[in-house]
Amino acid sequence: MVSALGAGFALAVQPVAAQTIITTDSVGLTAGEVKIPAAGGEMPAYRAQPASGGNWPVILVVQEIFGVHEYIKDVCRRLAKLGYQAIAPELFARQGDPRQYGSVAELLSKVVSKVPDGQVISDLDACVAWAGAQAGDVNRLGITGFCWGGRITWLYAAHNPQLKAGVAWYGRIVGQTSELTPRQPIDIAGKLNAPVLGLYGGIDQGIPIETVDQMSEALASAANPASKTSTIHVYDQAPHAFHADYRPSYRKDDAEDGWRRLQAWFRQHGV
């Protein structure tokens, strides 16, 4: 396993768009790297929570393909400032260090394509168990993820009956299945344990809007209450990764609106 988280941003996204980067301080927080006991060893993760008190609601933060770099850590601190215990595990830890690859193509071929969904789901379960032993209230459990992590958010909502709510940011909905990725979000649309809010860009080049519409229709027609309660909001002029403030794709207004929707969604569903 990769034994530690690095600093800064992944090589594959350099140079970053420094003028739009949001930096959230850790004043009033306990924030930093932790080790999560998981299958095969200890998995590094970033944890942020209020510095005092306990029994905090728990939110799992699921990375993009670039791993737990500075942007994901900052998202955890933003959530901690709202009173959550936020945990972002390095879900590629067994396959390699995603921050060290110089191109997206190399990262996809050498790391991401080798990560089984079953491993990811098991690691997220391990984070929930860890949180419950670290003053987190896992009866108020949420999950949010970005890009690669958006897809995982949908899948985890169909896995864990303990989950209260999820927010999926531009996660892929349809795609080829394989031994490592046996199901896609569209396949489990009617089997969710918790309602999911999907946030998508109308001009996302990697996620065709017709697949977003397909998911919306599948959710609306589901008999399952959690699926039927789920909803998708589309930002018509937003590209992929519109929340990623360190990338040129960032769209401030849409990102801020999505963040407000995330907060309201978690409150509405008991997280």
Side-chain angles (χ1 to χ4, degrees):
M1 269 201 193
V2 172
S3 60
L5 304 175
F9 292 87
L11 287 177
V13 295
Q14 302 289 348
V16 299
Q19 67 276 13
T20 56
I21 290 174
I22 297 170
T23 301
T24 305
D25 63 47
S26 57
V27 175
L29 304 179
T30 298
E33 185 171 336
V34 296
K35 304 290 189 187
I36 308 286
E42 290 190 320
M43 174 176 55
Y46 188 84
R47 180 276 318 267
Q49 64 192 32
S52 60
N55 203 37
W56 308 286
V58 177
I59 296 183
L60 303 173
V61 179
V62 189
Q63 66 202 45
E64 315 149 294
I65 63 168
F66 307 111
V68 183
H69 63 167
E70 191 50 50
Y71 162 66
I72 296 298
K73 295 175 185 178
D74 201 89
V75 168
C76 290
R77 294 194 295 274
R78 296 175 211 178
L79 289 166
K81 293 276 188 176
L82 298 173
Y84 293 106
Q85 182 185 73
I87 305 167
E90 181 48 79
L91 294 165
F92 300 162
R94 295 173 188 78
Q95 282 72 33
D97 185 350
R99 294 157 309 214
Q100 300 307 310
Y101 288 89
S103 72
V104 169
E106 186 181 24
L107 174 56
L108 289 170
S109 67
K110 293 188 176 180
V111 177
V112 182
S113 65
K114 299 177 181 178
V115 179
D117 286 346
Q119 171 190 294
V120 173
I121 297 300
S122 175
D123 285 347
L124 291 171
D125 284 346
C127 289
V128 176
W130 183 89
Q134 300 290 329
D137 181 2
V138 294
N139 291 313
R140 293 184 289 163
L141 176 65
I143 186 171
T144 190
F146 303 86
C147 184
W148 182 89
R151 173 181 174 272
I152 295 299
T153 296
W154 288 109
L155 297 181
Y156 196 73
H159 162 75
N160 189 348
Q162 198 173 1
L163 192 72
K164 296 297 185 191
V167 179
W169 299 78
Y170 33 84
R172 182 162 51 87
I173 290 167
V174 303
Q176 290 186 332
T177 57
S178 69
E179 185 178 350
L180 296 187
T181 57
R183 298 189 299 174
Q184 298 296 347
I186 191 65
D187 302 321
I188 50 82
K191 303 174 183 177
L192 302 181
N193 294 299
V196 176
L197 168 64
L199 299 170
Y200 285 80
I203 55 173
D204 189 324
Q205 297 298 304
I207 303 176
I209 194 64
E210 54 266 27
T211 67
V212 178
D213 293 339
Q214 185 181 354
M215 188 68 169
S216 292
E217 292 167 7
L219 295 169
S221 62
N224 176 2
S227 296
K228 191 175 285 292
T229 304
S230 300
T231 188
I232 293 178
H233 182 80
V234 176
Y235 295 94
D236 291 339
Q237 298 305 311
H240 190 71
F242 61 83
H243 186 268
D245 53 76
Y246 66 100
R247 297 167 69 181
S249 56
Y250 179 58
R251 298 295 182 269
K252 183 177 186 292
D253 290 346
D254 294 338
E256 291 178 351
D257 182 79
W259 192 250
R260 287 190 293 269
R261 290 174 185 269
L262 171 146
Q263 294 176 65
W265 189 259
F266 283 141
R267 285 195 304 268
Q268 178 185 347
H269 296 291
V271 180

